């Protein structure tokens, strides 16, 4: 059986972007362009044309966007989503006889051949196009066909046939009877802008009190909002806010047994006071929490909460749904792990339980419950230790009802696993940035994130530290490293965050030499921070966050171009906005201990600067201006003064 019309001669292949052959949608935010490329060609020498077909899933009509020929059978078109939701896209190609005729006519006429018959053939094609045009234009086309038939002067006929007005009108009504359609419909999800541009400040609400020795509350968190807003953060991320279990409670510095009075790790969720939908009593009650969420909105701050699907042995689920845990012959459950880390105070959930459907529904309802309280951003703890198939379902279902929901995958694990979590729906992902220090490492990692197909589905969120990770660079590099690492996170990636208090106060003592964990970690203790204290690091955080808000070039991750340097300790990169009007050039001294100087090659072409022109670079970190003339320019960065330049090119 011949399934297709044998006259469909166009081949369409290598349509990009597509993730796993279209199994997963590519990601964009509203207003963020999607550029689609494809190879479209036919046998012989006929002219081919191609169009990108796009539609929002709720619309019935396809929008047709002409693709532009890039040479070598490659075609390209762009589309910018205007509303949130899923868009479908595919590619169509067809042989264009009118265009073929026009090109042939031109060649023959230029070769001084007789084109009398050609003009008659063209008249027929134009008449056919009239059949596809609306009445008023159909009449014009018919008139042109008559004009061509009656034209006695071949030169005038050719000029007319190739004129812009004829070309424009015949292009508008192509003959697509035998058009080919790419064999697949692909998907793109357009999300709200925050999925791409967000600035996170993590702190433990139990340490929020201004008063030493007092357990912090949500009311205390409200007091911190003006301070956090002043620093320019738009998202506060709170580690778990639920009741903390007593059984196997951990003590200071990860001791497996807590001393009386120790508060335990907030990730040991669940006690007689409730589980994932309850509030730790010392923080306040649900009304206090909702009040914090609403108050934060007044400062343009969103509250993000931590969702850790694991249970303290005291969690109500353990008694109510014992089938959700894997019991061993001795009546115990093996505690949770993220090898080599051991979480002796929590039980993992068994995603292979016979009762998986009820488990899934309950876990999804946790997100729904917090959404009903005004929370739309979730930092998901260790998602890679729960099944992919669950996440794909859960995120899809939650976002179908609540498209504003954003899920950040807190997975520091193998690359394929992190990538899969992003493919199946996580809107943002933690990264290896935390450990990328040298020029080579940073360039290589940024290239992988932005110039491979990861760009289509993996939205990085760069964290210089977390409560779990005090990287060696911050331990050894002190204030200078804190400054350079936060400025790089904030300018390399449009999503970035940090574990705030210890960062701004420059706390960097490891639990012991060689271990990348904070001594006396807040994970196991209530801390008292001097919230009135201003540090240079805090001032830098404030300034770089303002620079990010004021410069659209820093509100996306994908627009990076590195510049050469003659010193490996200097890193140089440029970013420009879509309109090429906002241009940022960052230079970083990667060595926190020594002055580093050298020559950097400004990527002038990328920055749209004509060679040899004079331009002003305005260092937004220090409000200092320099006049530069060439590609190569000299810089000198002092770690003790300011280890970075963030230039705006003016
Ligand atoms: O496994 P990760 O390094 O990605 O860390 C995340 O998950 C951990 C488990 O939830 C969590 O660990 C903390 O809570 C545990 C449970 O209470 C406790 O046993 C650990 O000692 C404590 O570090 C970690 O904070 C989180 O970021």
């Amino acid at each position: 059986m011949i399934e297709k019309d044998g006259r469909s001669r166009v081949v369409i292949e290598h349509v990009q972007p597509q993730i796993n052959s279209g199994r997963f949608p590519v990601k964009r935010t509203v207003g963020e362009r999607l550029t689609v490329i494809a190879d479209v060609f036919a046998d012989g020498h006929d002219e081919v044309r191609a169009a990108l077909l796009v539609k929002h899933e709720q619309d019935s009509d396809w929008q047709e966007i002409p693709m532009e020929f890039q040479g070598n059978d490659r075609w390209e078109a762009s589309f910018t989503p205007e509303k949130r939701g899923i868009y479908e896209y595919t590619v169509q190609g067809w042989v264009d006889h009118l265009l073929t005729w026009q090109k042939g006519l031109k060649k023959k006429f230029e070769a001084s051949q007789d084109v009398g018959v050609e003009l008659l053939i063209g008249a027929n094609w134009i008449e056919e196009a009239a059949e596809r045009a609306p009445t008023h234009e159909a009449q014009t086309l018919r008139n042109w066909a008559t004009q061509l038939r009656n034209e006695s002067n071949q030169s005038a006929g050719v000029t007319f046939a190739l004129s812009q007005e004829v070309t424009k009108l015949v292009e508008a009504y192509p003959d697509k009877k035998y058009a080919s359609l790419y064999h697949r419909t692909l998907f793109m999800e357009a999300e709200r802008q925050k999925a791409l541009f967000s600035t996170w400040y993590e702190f433990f609400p139990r340490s929020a009190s201004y008063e030493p020795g007092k357990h912090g509350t949500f009311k205390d968190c409200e007091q911190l909002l003006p301070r956090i807003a002043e620093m320019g953060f738009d998202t506060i991320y709170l580690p778990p806010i639920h009741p903390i279990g007593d059984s196997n409670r951990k003590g200071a510095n990860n001791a497996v047994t807590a001393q009386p009075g120790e508060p335990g790790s907030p990730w040991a969720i669940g006690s007689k006071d409730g589980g994932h939908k309850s509030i730790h009593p010392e923080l306040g009650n649900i009304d206090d929490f909702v009040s914090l969420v609403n108050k934060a909105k007044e400062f343009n701050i969103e509250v993000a909460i931590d969702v850790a699907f694991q249970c303290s042995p005291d969690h109500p689920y353990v008694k109510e749904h014992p089938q959700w845990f894997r019991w061993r012959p001795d009546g115990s459950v093996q505690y949770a792990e993220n090898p080599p880390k051991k979480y002796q105070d929590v039980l993992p959930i068994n995603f292979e339980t016979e009762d998986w459907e009820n488990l899934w529904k309950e876990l999804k309802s946790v997100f729904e419950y917090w959404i009903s309280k005004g929370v739309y951003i979730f930092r998901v703890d260790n998602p890679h230790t729960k099944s992919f198939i669950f996440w794909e379902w859960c995120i899809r279902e939650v976002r179908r009802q609540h498209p504003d929901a954003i899920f950040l995958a807190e997975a520091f694990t193998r690359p394929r696993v992190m990538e899969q979590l992003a493919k199946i729906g996580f809107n943002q992902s933690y990264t290896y940035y935390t450990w990328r220090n040298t020029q080579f490492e940073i360039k290589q990692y940024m290239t992988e994130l932005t110039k491979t197909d990861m760009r289509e589905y993996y939205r990085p969120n760069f964290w210089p530290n977390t409560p779990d990770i005090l990287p060696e660079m911050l331990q050894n590099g002190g204030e200078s490293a804190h400054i350079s690492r936060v400025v790089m996170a904030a300018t390399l990636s449009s999503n970035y965050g940090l574990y705030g208090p210890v960062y701004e106060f420059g706390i960097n003592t490891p639990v012991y030499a060689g271990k990348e964990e904070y001594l006396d970690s807040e994970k196991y203790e209530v801390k008292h921070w001097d919230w009135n204290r201003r540090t240079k690091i805090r001032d830098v955080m404030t300034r770089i966050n303002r620079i990010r808000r004021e410069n659209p070039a820093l509100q996306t991750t994908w627009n990076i171009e590195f510049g050469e340097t003659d010193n490996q300790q200097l890193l140089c990169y440029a970013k420009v906005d879509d309109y090429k009007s906002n241009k940022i050039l960052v230079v970083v001294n990667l060595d926190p201990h020594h002055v580093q100087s050298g020559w950097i090659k400004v990527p002038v072409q990328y920055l749209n600067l004509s060679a040899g022109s004079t331009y002003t670079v305005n260092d937004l970190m220090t409000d200092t201006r320099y006049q530069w003339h060439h590609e190569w320019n000299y810089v000198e960065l002092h770690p003790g003064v300011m280890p970075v330049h963030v230039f705006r090119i003016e």
Side-chain angles (χ1 to χ4, degrees):
M1 189 178 73
I2 299 173
E3 285 170 354
K4 286 186 178 165
D5 192 308
R7 290 163 289 188
S8 298
R9 292 165 47 206
V10 171
V11 174
I12 303 170
E13 59 178 23
H14 302 142
V15 177
Q16 293 295 337
Q18 55 176 290
I19 312 303
N20 290 40
S21 309
R23 160 85 171 76
F24 305 106
V26 303
K27 292 188 175 115
R28 289 294 182 276
T29 49
V30 173
E32 192 186 13
R33 198 173 49 230
L34 171 75
T35 298
V36 176
I37 55 169
D39 288 340
V40 184
F41 55 93
D43 57 280
H45 303 288
D46 285 344
E47 291 298 320
V48 164
R49 281 170 61 200
L52 169 65
L53 305 182
V54 188
K55 80 177 195 64
H56 190 277
E57 64 173 353
Q58 282 161 1
D59 297 341
S60 44
D61 293 336
W62 290 89
Q63 184 186 341
E64 188 181 314
I65 303 168
M67 297 185 87
E68 281 183 20
F69 186 57
Q70 306 292 308
N72 233 359
D73 298 321
R74 172 60 52 94
W75 294 77
E76 180 181 305
S78 295
F79 166 77
T80 303
E82 283 168 2
K83 56 182 178 184
R84 279 178 329 197
I86 302 280
Y87 285 81
E88 300 170 17
Y89 63 97
T90 191
V91 170
Q92 188 184 45
W94 62 96
V95 170
D96 190 321
H97 292 295
L98 254 164
L99 198 61
T100 308
W101 163 72
Q102 274 186 322
K103 295 236 165 142
L105 177 69
K106 186 164 184 276
K107 279 190 197 144
K108 285 182 184 164
F109 185 69
E110 282 169 359
S112 305
Q113 293 178 15
D114 184 283
V115 292
V117 179
E118 297 299 320
L119 292 175
L120 296 179
I121 294 172
N124 289 347
W125 287 126
I126 291 178
E127 214 153 49
E128 273 191 24
E131 301 297 317
R132 298 183 289 271
T135 326
H136 62 292
E137 286 175 339
Q139 194 47 52
T140 309
L141 287 163
R142 283 194 196 100
N143 293 345
W144 289 351
T146 311
Q147 192 177 330
L148 274 184
R149 277 197 192 104
N150 298 335
E151 184 58 72
S152 52
N153 178 334
Q154 288 197 358
S155 170
V158 171
T159 308
F160 176 63
L162 301 181
S163 67
Q164 267 194 3
E165 56 171 346
V166 172
T167 307
K168 208 169 143 205
L169 210 53
V170 296
E171 269 182 2
Y173 304 107
D175 182 5
K176 292 197 185 170
K177 266 201 305 290
Y178 312 127
S180 305
L181 201 59
Y182 183 57
H183 61 276
R184 230 174 241 143
T185 299
L186 301 164
F187 300 92
M188 175 256 279
E189 183 162 18
E191 299 170 39
R192 64 173 166 140
Q193 215 228 345
K194 191 132 189 181
L196 179 62
F197 180 55
S198 60
T199 314
W200 299 49
Y201 186 92
E202 175 178 1
F203 70 97
F204 288 67
R206 69 184 182 189
S207 305
S209 173
Y210 271 83
E211 224 178 278
K214 201 172 151 265
H215 192 288
T217 63
F218 292 134
K219 286 279 165 238
D220 295 319
C221 295
E222 285 188 24
Q223 301 297 312
L224 295 180
L225 289 171
R227 175 181 198 280
I228 296 170
E230 194 244 343
M231 284 191 278
F233 291 92
D234 58 32
T235 308
I236 51 173
Y237 150 45
L238 312 177
I241 52 176
H242 317 298
I244 297 171
D246 281 315
S247 304
N248 306 337
R249 179 176 279 197
K250 285 197 169 175
N253 289 309
N254 203 15
V256 285
T257 320
Q259 298 305 309
E262 286 195 291
S265 154
W267 283 271
I269 297 168
S271 77
K272 61 177 183 0
D273 295 313
H276 286 76
K277 296 175 191 163
S278 304
I279 297 277
H280 182 65
E282 286 177 278
L283 294 173
N285 58 33
I286 190 68
D287 294 336
D288 298 332
F289 178 73
V290 172
S291 165
L292 169 64
V293 171
N294 291 332
K295 192 91 192 148
K297 278 187 201 143
E298 292 172 22
F299 291 90
N300 287 322
I301 291 176
E302 277 190 67
V303 174
I305 63 165
D306 194 309
V307 173
F309 284 143
Q310 58 200 17
C311 299
S312 143
D314 310 324
H315 195 296
Y317 286 164
V318 180
K319 274 210 184 79
E320 290 164 14
H321 305 282
Q323 71 280 19
W324 291 352
F325 303 88
R326 201 188 288 273
W327 296 92
R328 299 187 292 190
D330 66 355
S332 67
V333 173
Q334 170 64 46
Y335 54 73
E337 287 181 282
N338 184 14
K341 297 184 189 176
K342 294 182 173 165
Y343 306 133
Q344 296 92 334
D345 48 350
V346 285
L347 312 182
I349 288 170
N350 175 17
F351 280 80
E352 289 182 356
T353 171
E354 295 288 313
D355 192 28
W356 63 269
E357 282 174 277
N358 287 322
L359 170 69
W360 282 24
K361 283 182 200 153
E362 173 60 21
L363 298 184
K364 176 165 81 76
S365 77
V366 170
F367 291 108
E368 287 162 345
Y369 174 79
W370 292 105
I371 288 174
S372 77
K373 303 298 171 204
V375 176
Y376 285 86
I377 307 185
F378 303 98
R379 176 272 200 192
V380 178
D381 189 75
N382 278 328
H384 60 293
T385 59
K386 288 91 201 167
S387 64
F388 296 120
I389 190 170
F390 161 71
W391 287 124
E392 187 170 7
W393 170 82
C394 181
I395 294 174
R396 186 184 59 229
E397 292 303 307
V398 171
R399 297 194 79 248
R400 201 198 300 277
Q401 295 299 320
H402 309 284
D404 274 348
I406 291 176
F407 295 79
L408 163 65
E410 187 266 345
F412 292 106
T413 181
R414 307 183 308 280
R416 296 299 90 76
V417 174
M418 288 163 73
E419 289 160 20
Q420 185 69 11
L421 290 164
K423 288 178 184 175
I424 61 177
F426 279 90
N427 315 87
Q428 297 184 359
S429 308
Y430 277 68
T431 68
Y432 302 133
Y433 166 71
T434 320
W435 301 276
R436 296 292 180 265
N437 296 315
T438 65
Q439 190 199 84
F440 175 79
E441 288 168 348
I442 293 169
K443 278 186 178 175
Q444 191 192 46
Y445 194 44
M446 286 308 292
T447 304
E448 182 184 336
L449 290 171
T450 64
K451 313 285 182 225
T452 69
D453 76 348
M454 279 182 88
R455 181 264 171 271
E456 308 298 343
Y457 64 87
Y458 197 97
R459 279 205 202 92
N461 193 328
F462 277 12
W463 287 66
N465 76 329
T466 75
D468 302 314
I469 313 164
L470 166 61
E472 210 180 333
M473 176 56 101
L474 295 182
Q475 291 179 33
N476 301 331
E479 183 185 80
S480 174
H482 280 72
I483 291 175
S484 58
R485 297 295 298 170
V486 69
V487 169
M488 280 194 286
T491 53
L492 289 166
S493 171
S494 48
N495 291 308
Y496 100 95
L498 35 77
Y499 164 34
V502 298
Y503 206 93
E504 50 173 299
F505 301 133
I507 292 166
N508 64 348
T509 313
V511 70
Y512 57 81
K515 183 85 179 159
E516 288 198 318
E517 279 214 41
Y518 286 94
L519 176 67
D520 300 329
S521 169
E522 197 174 1
K523 290 191 293 184
Y524 315 102
E525 298 176 28
V526 177
K527 293 280 182 190
H528 169 68
W529 304 116
D530 179 1
W531 295 112
N532 291 318
R533 194 167 149 219
R534 287 203 99 88
T535 60
K536 182 170 167 186
I537 301 171
R538 173 176 165 185
D539 289 343
V540 166
M541 282 156 55
T542 307
R543 190 168 269 254
I544 196 65
N545 287 342
R546 198 184 80 206
I547 294 171
R548 275 162 58 88
R549 280 197 310 278
E550 292 174 354
N551 291 278
L554 297 175
Q555 294 168 13
T556 178
T557 301
W558 320 118
N559 56 346
I560 191 154
E561 182 81 11
F562 287 97
E564 286 175 46
T565 66
D566 69 352
N567 175 349
Q568 292 298 300
Q569 295 291 349
L570 295 174
L571 178 72
C572 167
Y573 50 94
K575 291 193 140 196
V576 295
D577 71 343
D578 267 0
Y579 308 101
K580 297 225 178 246
S581 60
N582 182 238
K583 306 172 190 182
I584 297 290
L585 182 78
V586 182
V587 189
V588 184
N589 174 357
L590 299 169
D591 173 359
H593 304 293
H594 305 99
V595 177
Q596 293 291 344
S597 60
W599 292 83
I600 55 155
K601 188 180 180 195
V602 177
V604 284
Q605 220 174 346
Y606 181 69
L607 291 165
N608 219 8
L609 299 166
S610 42
S613 68
T614 298
Y615 48 98
T616 303
V617 293
N618 177 9
D619 189 351
L620 303 172
M621 297 301 293
T622 54
D623 294 322
T624 318
R625 286 181 160 77
Y626 307 89
Q627 292 287 316
W628 283 1
H629 304 282
H630 311 284
E631 280 188 329
W632 286 94
N633 290 278
Y634 179 79
V635 295
E636 186 173 296
L637 287 162
H638 295 240
V641 183
M642 185 54 70
V644 297
H645 286 306
V646 180
F647 294 122
R648 183 163 54 211
I649 297 177
E650 295 175 346

